[in-house]
Amino acid sequence: MERPLTSNIHPDRPPLNLKEYEMTGGYGALRKVLKDMLPADLQKLVQNSNLKGRGGAGFSTGMKWSLVPMGENAPHPKYLITNADEMEPGTFKDRLLLEGNPHQLIEGMILAAYAIQADISYVFLRWAYHKAATFLRKSIQEAYDAGYLGKNILGSGFHLEMYLHTGVGRYMCGEETALLNALEGKRATPRAKPPFPQISGLFGKPTIVNNVETLCCVPHIVNNGADWFKSLSYSEDGGTKVYGVSGKVKKPGAWELPMGVTMRELIEEHAGGMKPGLKLKGVLPGGASTDFLTTQHLDIKMDFKSVAAAGSRLGTGTMIVMDDATCPVGFVHNLQHFFAQESCGWCTPCREGLPWVEKILLSLEKGEGRKEDIELLEMHTQYLGPGNTFCALAPGAMEPLQSALKYFRDDFDKHIDHKKCPYGK
Amino acid sequence: MLTATEIQAIDHEISLVPYKKATVIEALKIVQEHRGWISDESVEAIAAHLEISPAEVDSVATFYNLIFRKPVGRHIILLCDSISCYIMGYGLLYNALQNKLSIGFGQTSSDNRFTLLPNVCLGCCDHAPALIIDKDLYRDVTVEQLDDMLNKYA
C-alpha cells in the first residue's frame, strides 16, 4: 500500500533536512513544473486528480485555484496561504505532517503558488505547535538558501516569499476569511462572501487558502500523475487520507490510508478496537462539528460522499469515539462549551444561542432539566443551522447536538426523568 | 513606552505588510514576549507606535485568548479541556491541579509561580489527556506525574 504523504515520516526521529528530502526525490516536482509546465497546466493536473480539500469542506482544490484571476491584468501581489491552524477538537493529523516532513509542505506551497502565480505565501500556524514552528522556520530558511524560495526560483523567473505566522489562539482563525482578518491584524471574525478570497482576499488581493494535508499531496500528484493519485483511493475522491482515531480505543493514532477505507477497519484494525469492557456507542467521524454516526454505520466508506450519505461529514477525517460508559449529554455539553466559548460574537444567533444551548445541557447533566428543554434544544438546531449565521461555526456546533438528540434521546430523557446523570456524574 | 528592542522587532514586521496597523497582533506578541502580559500602558504605547487608537489595539488584544491582559505567573499551564481529553479524564487532572496549587482556571498561585488556564484541543488527541507548561507539551498525563512535572518549573 502506497503512503506518499507519510512514508518519509518517522515520529521518533527529527524530520528530513533539505539534503535528505532531496535524496528522496524532494523538490523534483518543483524542478519539473518550473521547467515544463504552465500554471494553467498545473491547475488542470490537480483538478484532474480529484484532490479535494482536506480541511473539512472537501471542495475540489484545482477548481478553487481556477477561480483566481490570471494573466497580465491580474491584481498583484497574490497570496497563497497554508491553513495550519488545526484546532478542531479531536483533530491531530496536520501536526503529523507539519512536524514529520515540513519540506513536503513547503514544496507543495511553492507549487500551489506557481499554479496561481502568487507572490507571497504564509503558513498560518497555531500557537500551540511549537515543535512544528521550529522545524518550519529552519526548513523555510534552508529552502531560501537553496534557491527554492525568493527571487527567480531555479532561474525560472518565478518569485515567491514565504513567511511563518504563528497565531495567538481562537478556533475562529481556522475559518478561511477569519484567518485573513487575523493575518491583517484584526479580530478573527468572518467576512461576507462574495467576494470570495480568490478574488479579494488578504489585503484585498486574490488569495488561496489551503489546508496542510491538501498542499502536501501536490508534489506527489506532479511526480506521479493524476491517474496514479486517483488509483490510490477506494472512492471517487483522489488520493490517500490521514485518518485518526481518539477516545477509549486500544491504540489511538493517525494513519495514512487509501481514501474510502471503512470506519470499521479504522476503529477495529488500526485503533485495535475498544478498550476492555467498553462498547462503541457513537462516533464523530471528522471532528467536533460533525454529526454522530453509530454502530449501524461501521461499514460505510470514509470518503466525502459516503459519510454525507450516512448523514454526517468526513470533516477532517479524524474521528472521536464515544464509548458506552461516557455520558452522551456530558459529551455534547463539552462540545457546546467549546463552541460557545469560541464563537467570535459577530452574529447574534451564534453569540446568544450557543451559550443558551450550553446552559440547557449543563442543567440536564446536573439533573435540573425539564421536558421542554428537549424542544428548546431542537429549536436551536434549526435556528442555529445553515443559512442563519455568518459562518459555519454554529451550524457545525449543531451537528453533534441534533444527531445526539436523534440517536441518544433515551439518555436525554433519563436525565430528566431520574433528575440525575445516569452515568454517575 | 516601548523599548528599542521592541520597536526594532515591530518595525521589522511593519516592513513586511502594506500598512502599519496590520501588525497589531505581532506587536502584542512581541511586547508580551518581553513583559509577560499586556498592560493598559502597553496598549497605549503600541497604539501610538502604529498610529491607531488604544481602543482598536484593545479590541484585538481582548479577542485572542493567548494575549494576556492581566498579569500572569512565571509559568503558564494550559490544560486541554476539549472532547478527547474530556473522554480520557482531564477532569481528574484539573481537580489535582486545583488542590496542589490552590487555584482554579484563570487564577495565579499566591507565590506567582503558576497561572492555570483551560485551552482548546492541543492536537494530540491520540495521547490524551494533554497539557502545555510554557512551551513544553505533556501527553498521556496522569495525576501521579504532576508533582515531578511541576517541580521542573521554579
Side-chain angles (χ1 to χ4, degrees):
Chain A
M1 192 191 304
E2 287 184 88
R3 295 193 166 98
L5 301 187
T6 57
S7 57
N8 291 311
I9 293 179
H10 307 282
D12 46 340
R13 274 189 267 160
L16 303 180
N17 64 26
L18 183 90
K19 278 237 157 53
E20 292 161 341
Y21 181 68
E22 285 172 331
M23 301 266 284
T24 67
Y27 291 106
L30 180 63
R31 287 177 189 280
K32 182 173 168 180
V33 162
L34 292 180
K35 194 161 150 268
D36 297 334
M37 287 177 87
L38 295 169
D41 299 337
L42 181 53
Q43 288 191 11
K44 194 84 197 141
L45 174 71
V46 170
Q47 209 162 328
N48 289 342
S49 76
N50 283 353
L51 171 63
K52 291 186 180 168
R54 304 294 200 239
F59 191 74
S60 159
T61 304
M63 181 79 83
K64 197 177 197 180
W65 294 355
S66 75
L67 301 172
V68 174
M70 299 293 284
E72 279 176 24
N73 297 325
H76 280 274
K78 291 194 254 185
Y79 294 94
L80 182 279
I81 299 168
T82 298
N83 186 343
D85 196 52
E86 184 166 70
M87 228 184 281
E88 177 77 18
T91 301
F92 50 100
K93 66 179 183 75
D94 292 337
R95 180 197 278 275
L96 176 74
L97 298 168
L98 290 161
E99 292 179 357
N101 199 351
H103 277 296
Q104 175 174 254
L105 171 65
I106 294 167
E107 186 178 11
M109 286 177 69
I110 304 170
L111 289 166
Y114 177 77
I116 63 161
Q117 291 291 290
D119 310 86
I120 300 173
S121 59
Y122 284 93
V123 181
F124 191 104
L125 181 72
R126 70 173 297 192
W127 174 90
Y129 286 8
H130 295 295
K131 205 165 148 185
T134 308
F135 293 153
L136 275 167
R137 257 185 219 109
K138 176 171 170 271
S139 304
I140 290 171
Q141 191 54 52
E142 283 179 333
Y144 266 106
D145 294 343
Y148 296 130
L149 283 170
K151 300 271 174 237
N152 193 19
I153 296 170
L154 301 174
S156 65
F158 176 60
H159 315 297
L160 182 69
E161 301 298 331
M162 187 175 290
Y163 305 113
L164 175 67
H165 173 94
T166 52
V168 273
R170 292 311 289 262
Y171 173 66
M172 268 307 294
C173 295
E175 201 275 340
E176 186 174 69
T177 60
L179 181 151
L180 299 177
N181 280 341
L183 266 183
E184 290 182 10
K186 300 174 183 159
R187 292 164 76 97
T189 52
R191 295 179 179 177
K193 291 191 273 194
F196 288 88
Q198 290 92 326
I199 309 296
S200 175
L202 188 64
F203 301 115
K205 302 292 185 184
T207 303
I208 284 290
V209 183
N210 281 143
N211 169 261
V212 172
E213 188 183 353
T214 310
L215 289 166
C216 287
C217 292
V218 178
H220 304 287
I221 295 171
V222 169
N223 283 329
N224 302 295
D227 288 334
W228 166 85
F229 191 71
K230 280 189 277 196
S231 76
L232 296 174
S233 164
Y234 293 161
S235 83
E236 66 181 45
D237 310 328
T240 57
K241 175 82 193 77
V242 181
Y243 292 104
V245 180
S246 70
K248 289 192 174 164
V249 291
K250 283 185 192 142
K251 296 181 295 180
W255 313 273
E256 183 186 7
L257 296 164
M259 176 68 94
V261 295
T262 64
M263 206 152 83
R264 185 185 297 282
E265 181 182 331
L266 277 165
I267 295 172
E268 294 180 1
E269 224 168 282
H270 300 285
M274 302 302 291
K275 286 193 173 187
L278 294 173
K279 286 202 190 95
L280 185 142
K281 179 151 177 159
V283 177
L284 299 181
S289 51
T290 58
D291 277 279
F292 273 104
L293 295 176
T294 70
T295 46
Q296 61 185 294
H297 303 110
L298 279 173
D299 292 309
I300 66 158
K301 284 179 167 187
M302 288 284 286
D303 61 53
F304 289 104
K305 209 173 177 179
S306 310
V307 182
S312 185
R313 291 189 302 115
L314 177 64
T316 61
T318 38
M319 57 176 72
I320 306 151
V321 171
M322 184 174 75
D323 57 88
D324 62 343
T326 296
C327 171
V329 176
F331 187 106
V332 177
H333 172 255
N334 176 276
L335 297 176
Q336 300 307 324
H337 168 74
F338 165 82
F339 288 115
Q341 173 187 294
E342 295 303 318
S343 169
C344 72
W346 185 248
C347 68
T348 314
C350 180
R351 183 186 62 236
E352 305 299 326
L354 288 174
W356 197 4
V357 167
E358 184 196 350
K359 279 178 195 158
I360 295 170
L361 288 165
L362 181 63
S363 68
L364 285 173
E365 188 65 351
K366 284 159 79 180
E368 296 163 4
R370 305 163 305 167
K371 279 273 175 228
E372 311 87 89
D373 288 340
I374 305 289
E375 284 161 42
L376 264 178
L377 289 174
E378 274 167 348
M379 186 190 90
H380 277 85
T381 63
Q382 299 297 314
Y383 287 2
L384 301 190
N388 296 325
T389 58
F390 228 79
C391 82
L393 188 142
M398 291 303 100
E399 290 181 24
L401 176 61
Q402 69 193 11
S403 46
L405 287 167
K406 178 174 161 193
Y407 294 120
F408 315 121
R409 177 64 189 263
D410 268 8
D411 286 293
F412 285 81
D413 290 338
K414 275 184 201 160
H415 280 75
I416 297 167
D417 296 342
H418 302 169
K419 295 195 170 14
K420 63 173 188 179
C421 173
Y423 293 80
K425 286 210 174 154
Chain B
M1 281 283 285
L2 300 173
T3 65
T5 321
E6 288 166 343
I7 288 172
Q8 197 186 3
I10 295 168
D11 286 349
H12 171 70
E13 296 299 330
I14 291 173
S15 74
L16 302 177
V17 288
Y19 42 83
K20 280 185 177 185
K21 188 172 136 169
T23 62
V24 178
I25 295 174
E26 294 301 326
L28 288 164
K29 277 160 62 181
I30 289 162
V31 173
Q32 181 166 289
E33 184 71 28
H34 286 96
R35 309 181 185 196
W37 67 294
I38 300 294
S39 65
D40 291 351
E41 291 70 29
S42 298
V43 166
E44 280 165 24
I46 291 169
H49 192 71
L50 300 182
E51 296 173 324
I52 53 177
S53 73
E56 237 176 314
V57 175
D58 209 16
S59 80
V60 173
T62 53
F63 185 86
Y64 293 97
N65 60 299
L66 295 169
I67 295 296
F68 306 130
R69 280 293 273 115
K70 284 201 271 186
V72 290
R74 293 195 293 283
H75 306 285
I76 313 260
I77 305 174
L78 298 171
L79 178 62
C80 175
D81 67 350
S82 289
I83 191 65
S84 301
C85 287
Y86 168 83
I87 300 172
M88 302 307 288
Y90 92 86
L92 296 173
L93 297 180
Y94 181 43
N95 290 342
L97 286 168
Q98 277 179 298
N99 288 333
K100 287 177 198 299
L101 305 173
S102 305
I103 49 171
F105 279 144
Q107 296 178 321
T108 299
S109 59
S110 54
D111 57 1
N112 210 33
R113 196 165 144 222
F114 291 109
T115 297
L116 179 59
L117 297 170
N119 204 83
V120 301
C121 186
L122 295 173
C124 45
C125 317
D126 50 342
H127 293 281
L131 59 84
I132 288 181
I133 304 181
D134 297 341
K135 289 185 176 180
D136 308 324
L137 174 67
Y138 295 93
R139 316 184 304 169
D140 299 308
V141 182
T142 62
V143 169
E144 292 71 38
Q145 293 167 350
L146 287 176
D147 280 336
D148 285 347
M149 199 182 284
L150 295 176
N151 282 337
K152 289 186 213 162
Y153 302 89

